[in-house]
Amino acid sequence: MASRSRVPLGLILFSALVAGAGNGISIIAFPWLVLQRNGSAMEASVVAMAATLPLLVATLFAGTAVDYLGRRRVSMLSDLLSALSVAAVPVIALSFGAEAVNVAVLATLAAFGAFFDPAGMTARETMLPEAAAQAGWTLDKANSGYEAVFNLAYIVGPGIGGVLIATIGGINTMWVTAGAFALSMAVIGALRLEGAGVPDRTQLPEQVWAGIVEGLRFVWNLRVLRTLALIDLAVVGLYMPMESVLFPKYFTDRSEPAQLGWVLMALSIGGLVGALGYAVTSRFMSRRVTMIAAVLILGITMTVIAVLPPLPVILAMAAIGGFAYGPIQPIYNYVMQTRAPQHLRGRVVGVMGSLAYAAGPVGLIVAGPLADGAGLQVTFLALSIPMILIGVVALFLPSLRELDRTPG
């Protein structure tokens, strides 16, 4: 029996924290560089969209790359390419002048970096089962820690980015971001873990497209995964507009940018505490009950927010909604990691992730015009009521009972 060690799990979690913080800094730095040039919100939106759209396709291919090339190798390669994409900003500025860092360049580099991010995330996620076993942790506990670290990175990253921009400027901030990705790559380079190296290619289809189709077919044919994928598709599509459109519009109309930051921080902190808390609640609460409660509570908090109550109530509802939804991703991770055979694990994670990324833009396309035409209250209700209905329907789905069955 192999000796227990928490080192591999610690390396994976630290890599996820550092790389996530690098992404969090980029979220602030790229739009800032655009706005610093000419103050155009439209051009800043173009760069933000360029960093989002590649995720739709990249996540699907990321899982295939993990299965075909190996988890450790793909994680390091992803961090390397992400580092190069952000380091290119100061390199171009030094070589051709700051004016050369225009919107087209920034959009291209943002898209380049975003395309490779899912590969690193997928690779680290698929190494958790072996790392948890070596540490003597349950898989629920490992997934809880991983998602908590991920949430923490996106809380501290933008904050660090803001401080760096204020002290050393937007372009030089990209050097620090590149350093974060390089550190993540070095940490994974030191990782030694069973199943993280070169995969057994005899279990994989020769054609990459056949491999992708195999992953899609596996998710669709396994009832519990198919149900979770459809629920996630609907929930993300309903939730994302609240964070990305409705709250910004509400507080922009009131000229209260600081309050917007407080609400988004309340959501993130709630998610962080909820993910951490799942390591404890998983001992006495079933995964099915946890998941259904999360969807229902999120729908209820969104409904309360729809009446546009005073700020303290909005903050409380945001924190409660984030807390309730914090355990969802650890539950999804557990199901994917325990149901998918090792040679398919990357592709299953990739398929599930790509569906979630696809849902976000659909919800945004609907919510924006609805908010302009019918108002924020109507739009909040149009999102919250279906969320509650999904939670009610989930109560009667027999496939969700498989969440608490030990896989054969």
Side-chain angles (χ1 to χ4, degrees):
M1 179 178 177
S3 60
R4 289 186 175 181
S5 171
R6 296 180 182 177
V7 172
L9 182 60
L11 292 175
I12 294 170
L13 295 179
F14 184 72
S15 172
L17 176 64
V18 175
N23 284 323
I25 297 171
S26 298
I27 289 172
I28 295 292
F30 273 106
W32 180 270
L33 288 171
V34 177
L35 294 168
Q36 191 178 40
R37 287 177 58 87
N38 53 23
S40 171
M42 175 68 75
E43 292 183 356
S45 297
V46 169
V47 173
M49 186 67 73
T52 303
L53 288 177
L55 298 175
L56 303 179
V57 177
T59 310
L60 189 61
F61 284 95
T64 306
V66 168
D67 284 342
Y68 275 73
L69 300 178
R71 297 163 190 166
R72 182 168 165 269
R73 180 187 297 174
V74 168
S75 179
M76 295 176 66
L77 182 60
S78 169
D79 287 333
L80 174 62
L81 294 172
S82 294
L84 292 175
S85 70
V86 292
V89 173
V91 168
I92 291 171
L94 287 172
S95 302
F96 305 102
E99 64 277 0
V101 186
N102 55 37
V103 174
V105 169
L106 290 170
T108 300
L109 293 176
F112 184 81
F115 188 83
F116 296 104
D117 284 340
M121 290 186 286
T122 301
R124 288 185 288 268
E125 207 171 289
T126 55
M127 289 189 282
L128 285 176
E130 289 78 14
Q134 190 164 334
W137 284 26
T138 66
L139 197 46
D140 280 324
K141 183 178 179 181
N143 281 316
S144 171
Y146 181 83
E147 291 304 321
V149 163
F150 193 76
N151 279 302
L152 179 62
Y154 280 88
I155 293 173
V156 302
I160 293 172
V163 172
L164 289 172
I165 290 169
T167 54
I168 63 176
I171 288 177
N172 286 329
T173 293
M174 293 302 192
W175 286 122
V176 180
T177 312
F181 288 120
L183 178 58
S184 175
M185 180 175 66
V187 168
I188 294 298
L191 177 67
R192 297 295 179 267
L193 183 69
E194 180 186 354
V198 178
D200 181 5
R201 294 293 296 270
T202 60
Q203 294 182 288
L204 301 171
E206 290 187 11
Q207 300 296 322
V208 173
W209 278 110
I212 294 174
V213 171
E214 186 181 18
L216 288 165
R217 186 182 299 117
F218 184 88
V219 170
W220 185 256
N221 288 339
L222 195 63
R223 187 173 63 165
V224 64
L225 278 178
R226 181 173 69 241
T227 301
L228 289 179
L230 293 174
I231 291 175
D232 199 33
L233 188 70
V235 168
V236 171
L238 294 169
Y239 171 79
M240 281 294 292
M242 178 181 72
E243 185 174 339
S244 301
V245 174
L246 303 188
F247 279 141
K249 178 172 174 54
Y250 176 66
F251 288 106
T252 299
D253 290 347
R254 295 165 62 92
S255 298
E256 295 176 341
Q259 286 81 342
L260 171 62
W262 297 346
V263 171
L264 296 181
M265 185 172 289
L267 280 166
S268 298
I269 293 174
L272 169 63
V273 176
L276 274 176
Y278 178 64
V280 177
T281 59
S282 63
R283 300 173 187 171
F284 57 84
M285 185 180 295
S286 73
R287 298 184 188 94
R288 174 178 172 271
V289 170
T290 300
M291 182 182 158
I292 294 172
V295 177
L296 287 171
I297 291 172
L298 189 58
I300 292 168
T301 57
M302 288 171 63
T303 303
V304 174
I305 291 170
V307 304
L308 302 179
L311 180 63
V313 178
I314 294 178
L315 288 171
M317 291 300 101
I320 292 170
F323 175 81
Y325 204 69
I328 290 298
Q329 195 56 49
I331 291 173
Y332 276 49
N333 291 349
Y334 172 86
V335 176
M336 292 185 287
Q337 293 158 355
T338 57
R339 264 59 173 188
Q342 190 179 83
H343 70 279
L344 256 173
R345 196 184 297 162
R347 280 166 286 168
V348 169
V349 172
V351 168
M352 297 288 282
S354 64
L355 287 172
Y357 282 124
V362 174
L364 293 172
I365 290 170
V366 173
L370 185 60
D372 287 335
L376 284 173
Q377 288 185 322
V378 171
T379 307
F380 265 116
L381 288 172
L383 299 174
S384 66
I385 292 175
M387 185 82 76
I388 294 173
L389 290 176
I390 290 171
V392 172
V393 170
L395 284 168
F396 303 98
L397 294 177
S399 56
L400 293 184
R401 299 188 184 279
E402 297 178 28
L403 292 175
D404 298 300
R405 292 175 184 161
T406 302

